[in-house]
Amino acid sequence: MNSVYFNLSFDDVHPESSGDGTDCGGDRDGGVFRYFPRLLRKCPELKITLFVTPNWIDKANDSFFLRNMKRIFGMKYFNTWVGEPFLLTKHKDWCSWLNSFKNIEVAVHGYSHHADRKLHSQEFQDMGYNDCRERLMSAERVFKDAGLNYVKGFRPPGWGISDGLFEALKDLKYDFISLDSVACNVGDLSRYKVEDYRGLWNVPQNWDIARGTIDEALEILEKYGLLMAKGHISDYYDGERIGNGLNGVTFGRLCELFERMKDKKSCFVSMKEIARRMA
Ligand SMILES: [Zn+2]
């Protein structure tokens, strides 16, 4: 029997708590993170990849009315957190707590997760090489200064990409990228396989923890030998529905999936491990 590979990943992790607005990890074991020990009890070998943003400032766009008022009065059009409240160097204790999870790897999810445009979460969309390189270096500097262990893997915020981004990631010797070929609108990239894309190993996301069915997950495993399950840490953010957060429902679906994978020879891997295995 051939081995099948499995990884579970979550986007948008940062130290914001429900007291700030949304629990994106900041509530620690009292919030969404309580599901991680439970998942590991069901599946002790499980490896989880968290895509963390080192200085999250993104908020939803202002309302139509406010946007127009701001435009008329020449004010800043877009909405962001003021004062960099979630800069990781201000949350060193949270970072060392995150380091204590043995089965979790942290990878890079942008610098601020924000761009001043309508698709406000697409930080790197159409960005040139120099700016991409600088942002990636800033992101890594914050991780280092905050003492958070991380791997050189990258998933683009809001799926916004650019030629400069790929070049910068390659020059900075990233081990992997993680794209969804449909969401990123790249027709020449497999949705299901780990493959070299523009000189970088792409570890895809190929199953959504809320929207994909368990039968689909098993079919993907059967056909491609690799299931890269993905969700967001929170279901809603700043009034915008994301829809695939980690909660009681998606936890239950993952437990059902683990149960139905029991007859398979499963290898639970981090994204870095699977990229290294390919290299
Ligand atoms: Zn994101």
Side-chain angles (χ1 to χ4, degrees):
M1 188 194 289
N2 287 334
S3 296
V4 294
Y5 295 95
F6 182 88
N7 171 270
L8 176 62
S9 67
F10 293 95
D11 285 5
D12 295 356
V13 178
H14 63 278
E16 183 176 344
S17 69
S18 52
D20 301 308
T22 306
D23 173 25
C24 297
D27 286 11
R28 302 197 190 191
D29 301 328
V32 67
F33 264 73
R34 70 189 183 280
Y35 290 110
F36 290 135
R38 290 186 201 174
L39 284 168
L40 290 166
R41 270 201 295 278
K42 292 278 177 192
C43 181
E45 313 280 294
L46 179 65
K47 301 269 180 76
I48 299 166
T49 305
L50 298 182
F51 285 92
V52 176
T53 305
N55 184 19
W56 179 285
I57 61 163
D58 195 52
K59 289 186 106 175
N61 282 341
D62 282 330
S63 68
F64 180 76
F65 174 75
L66 272 175
R67 277 207 308 274
N68 280 301
M69 289 301 283
K70 283 184 173 182
R71 200 173 58 207
I72 289 163
F73 291 104
M75 293 161 71
K76 194 164 177 272
Y77 181 97
F78 292 96
N79 215 3
T80 55
W81 286 93
V82 176
E84 304 187 327
F86 309 119
L87 182 67
L88 291 184
T89 48
K90 297 177 180 174
H91 299 271
K92 288 186 176 174
D93 191 48
W94 184 81
C95 293
S96 58
W97 167 77
L98 203 51
N99 286 339
S100 69
F101 287 83
K102 295 281 171 282
N103 299 35
I104 283 178
E105 74 177 348
V106 165
V108 184
H109 193 42
Y111 176 70
S112 68
H113 208 299
H114 180 80
D116 280 353
R117 63 162 75 88
K118 190 172 179 198
L119 294 172
H120 54 90
S121 65
Q122 295 192 330
E123 185 179 2
F124 289 83
Q125 182 75 36
D126 302 324
M127 191 180 271
Y129 169 83
N130 287 338
D131 287 343
C132 289
R133 191 168 191 274
E134 198 174 299
R135 278 195 176 232
L136 291 167
M137 287 169 69
S138 299
E140 289 195 49
R141 197 172 312 119
V142 172
F143 282 134
K144 281 177 191 148
D145 290 349
L148 181 62
N149 301 331
Y150 69 100
V151 298
K152 296 204 56 144
F154 182 83
R155 184 176 276 163
W159 302 119
I161 54 174
S162 68
D163 292 342
L165 174 64
F166 289 110
E167 286 309 308
L169 288 165
K170 216 163 51 179
D171 285 355
L172 295 170
K173 304 208 177 335
Y174 269 66
D175 289 316
F176 67 88
I177 48 169
S178 180
L179 305 178
D180 178 317
S181 60
V182 175
C184 292
N185 200 21
V186 278
D188 54 341
L189 176 67
S190 166
R191 197 159 194 207
Y192 296 100
K193 296 185 219 160
V194 178
E195 64 180 11
D196 186 316
Y197 187 68
R198 295 174 158 215
L200 291 155
W201 287 109
N202 180 49
V203 183
Q205 62 150 8
N206 61 23
W207 187 74
D208 187 292
I209 61 166
R211 300 173 187 110
T213 67
I214 307 294
D215 284 344
E216 278 164 5
L218 296 169
E219 271 170 39
I220 293 167
L221 271 177
E222 193 67 38
K223 201 164 170 192
Y224 299 98
L226 174 83
L227 191 71
M228 311 304 285
K230 184 255 165 111
H232 280 82
I233 199 71
S234 171
D235 235 5
Y236 282 84
Y237 191 75
D238 198 31
E240 288 186 343
R241 182 157 195 270
I242 298 162
N244 60 355
L246 180 56
N247 55 30
V249 175
T250 49
F251 171 74
R253 288 165 61 86
L254 287 165
C255 292
E256 186 189 338
L257 176 62
F258 297 147
E259 202 54 45
R260 290 184 61 189
M261 281 170 66
K262 273 200 168 143
D263 61 338
K264 298 189 183 300
K265 196 174 152 206
S266 301
C267 277
F268 295 93
V269 285
S270 68
M271 286 196 175
K272 183 175 171 171
E273 282 165 351
I274 199 144
R276 282 274 161 92
R277 219 164 278 214
M278 297 299 292

Coordinates of all heavy atoms in Angstrom, one line a residue, residues 11-12 56 109 113 157-158 232, ligand 1:
D11 N -4.9 30.0 7.9 CA -4.5 31.4 7.5 C -4.9 32.4 8.6 O -5.9 32.2 9.3 CB -5.1 31.8 6.2 CG -4.4 31.1 5.0 OD1 -3.6 30.2 5.2 OD2 -4.8 31.5 3.9
D12 N -4.2 33.5 8.5 CA -4.6 34.8 9.2 C -4.4 34.7 10.8 O -5.0 35.4 11.5 CB -6.1 35.1 9.0 CG -6.3 35.5 7.5 OD1 -5.3 35.5 6.7 OD2 -7.5 35.7 7.1
W56 N -0.2 42.5 11.4 CA -1.6 42.6 10.9 C -2.2 44.0 11.1 O -2.3 44.4 12.2 CB -2.4 41.5 11.5 CG -3.8 41.5 11.0 CD1 -4.8 42.4 11.3 CD2 -4.4 40.6 10.1 NE1 -6.0 42.0 10.6 CE2 -5.7 40.9 9.9 CE3 -3.9 39.4 9.4 CZ2 -6.6 40.2 9.0 CZ3 -4.7 38.7 8.6 CH2 -6.0 39.1 8.4
H109 N 2.7 34.8 6.2 CA 1.5 35.2 5.5 C 1.5 36.7 5.3 O 0.7 37.4 6.0 CB 0.3 34.7 6.3 CG -1.0 34.8 5.6 ND1 -1.1 34.4 4.2 CD2 -2.2 35.1 5.9 CE1 -2.4 34.5 3.9 NE2 -3.1 35.0 4.8
H113 N -0.8 42.2 5.6 CA -2.0 41.6 5.0 C -3.0 42.7 4.5 O -4.2 42.6 4.4 CB -2.8 40.8 6.0 CG -3.6 39.6 5.4 ND1 -4.7 39.9 4.5 CD2 -3.6 38.3 5.5 CE1 -5.2 38.7 4.2 NE2 -4.5 37.7 4.8
P157 N -1.3 36.7 1.0 CA -2.6 37.2 1.6 C -3.6 37.5 0.5 O -3.2 38.2 -0.5 CB -2.1 38.5 2.3 CG -0.7 38.3 2.6 CD -0.1 37.5 1.5
G158 N -4.8 37.1 0.7 CA -5.8 37.4 -0.3 C -5.6 36.8 -1.7 O -6.2 37.2 -2.7
H232 N -9.4 28.9 7.7 CA -8.9 30.2 8.3 C -9.1 30.0 9.8 O -9.9 29.2 10.3 CB -9.8 31.4 7.9 CG -9.4 31.9 6.5 ND1 -9.8 31.3 5.3 CD2 -8.6 32.9 6.2 CE1 -9.3 32.0 4.3 NE2 -8.5 33.0 4.8
Ligands
ZN1 ZN -5.1 35.7 4.7

